[in-house]
Amino acid sequence: MRIMLLGAPGVGKGTQAKKIQEKFPIPQISTGEILRAAVKNQTELGKQAKVIMEKGELVPDDLIVGLVRERLQEEDCKKGFILDGFPRTIPQAEALDVLLQELNMKLNAVIDIDVDYEKIIARLTNRRLCPSCGADYNLLNNPPNPDNTCKKCGETVIQRDDDKEGTIRNRLEVYEKQTRPLKDFYAEKGMLKVVNGDQGVDDVFGKIVKILGD
Ligand code: AMP
């Protein structure tokens, strides 16, 4: 099963990808997570990406496509994968088409999770992340322990640098200009399914599972 999750930052792509990964044994490929790991490990890629990510801009297409090209050829992707946060531009989507053709693979589902921008801003400012195990939290509806530690591993949770309000607005502008056009790109191919993301995590997941079942 090869799945792509589309949608603005903060609609819950990562949360849903992790739930899909628990139900079906396929890896989540989050370009954001790969980049954050590179920044943490201070690799060459991480050094280039850090400044761009802090501003809420997009990392250049060729770097991202190179990352995904390598990742899709790893053994665990033979069973399928969930793309989360990639593609984010039309050139990335076109490069993905070529790459999938080369690898003799086809996408089974492109799912757009849809949430209003005002609600997204509220969600993102309240979002917290465990820097150790990657668990996602939200102070509004899925809080960490009362002492701000991760329920899974006990590490103190943090706010992502790019989840501060100024950066969030820029990320949404970048999404509007560069990423939202992907909805038309996949709708024209007859592949797009839209799920209302303004519901509980389990309700959104139920809709996604139904689409995958169909
Ligand atoms: P995310 O965790 O998906 O919100 O990604 C965090 C940040 O990583 C984004 O704001 C971008 O700066 C960068 N990033 C992640 N995925 C991509 C992508 N496909 N293309 C360009 N930049 C990306």
Side-chain angles (χ1 to χ4, degrees):
M1 185 150 24
R2 302 185 194 95
I3 306 163
M4 178 190 294
L5 295 180
L6 289 180
V11 297
K13 297 187 296 294
T15 304
Q16 294 300 327
K18 290 195 171 74
K19 285 184 79 73
I20 298 170
Q21 191 178 24
E22 278 166 20
K23 189 172 170 77
F24 307 100
I26 51 175
Q28 169 195 15
I29 302 180
S30 157
T31 42
E33 281 184 10
I34 296 172
L35 292 170
R36 276 187 290 283
V39 170
K40 197 172 168 187
N41 296 327
Q42 299 185 353
T43 65
E44 226 15 78
L45 168 70
K47 285 180 199 155
Q48 285 185 56
K50 187 173 190 289
V51 195
I52 300 172
M53 291 169 77
E54 278 171 358
K55 284 192 284 192
E57 307 283 336
L58 295 183
V59 173
D61 289 336
D62 52 345
L63 279 183
I64 293 287
V65 171
L67 277 182
V68 174
R69 170 183 291 277
E70 280 181 20
R71 184 67 187 86
L72 287 186
Q73 293 182 70
E74 285 176 30
E75 191 58 32
D76 60 343
C77 289
K78 292 227 163 84
K79 294 171 291 187
F81 47 79
I82 311 153
L83 293 176
D84 158 16
F86 175 88
R88 253 182 162 95
T89 63
I90 296 283
Q92 289 182 17
E94 288 169 347
L96 176 66
D97 274 354
V98 174
L99 181 56
L100 290 176
Q101 241 169 17
E102 276 171 28
L103 299 175
N104 216 359
M105 292 175 174
K106 269 204 171 113
L107 289 173
N108 301 96
V110 175
I111 300 174
D112 178 69
I113 307 177
D114 188 48
V115 179
D116 286 354
Y117 285 165
E118 285 314 311
K119 291 199 174 119
I120 288 177
I121 292 170
R123 278 194 193 186
L124 287 176
T125 46
N126 285 292
R127 183 156 82 168
R128 298 294 181 271
L129 169 75
C130 173
S132 178
C133 75
D136 296 304
Y137 293 98
N138 194 293
L139 301 181
L140 298 176
N141 56 12
N142 176 28
N145 290 323
D147 63 348
N148 263 330
T149 54
C150 176
K151 286 180 174 165
K152 292 192 178 140
C153 75
E155 182 71 58
T156 299
V157 302
I158 55 163
Q159 183 175 34
R160 278 170 47 174
D161 283 337
D162 58 353
D163 278 348
K164 313 266 159 81
E165 188 142 359
T167 315
I168 290 172
R169 296 221 176 248
N170 193 32
R171 286 165 70 203
L172 290 177
E173 273 170 34
V174 167
Y175 167 79
E176 181 66 29
K177 282 200 202 106
Q178 303 200 55
T179 309
R180 215 163 85 99
L182 292 177
K183 285 175 71 169
D184 287 339
F185 182 90
Y186 289 105
E188 278 161 22
K189 289 175 184 280
M191 296 172 76
L192 187 76
K193 304 272 188 233
V194 180
V195 170
N196 172 12
D198 189 15
Q199 321 174 54
V201 168
D202 290 332
D203 295 321
V204 177
F205 185 57
K207 304 271 161 43
I208 291 177
V209 169
K210 184 163 184 318
I211 291 172
L212 300 178
D214 291 344

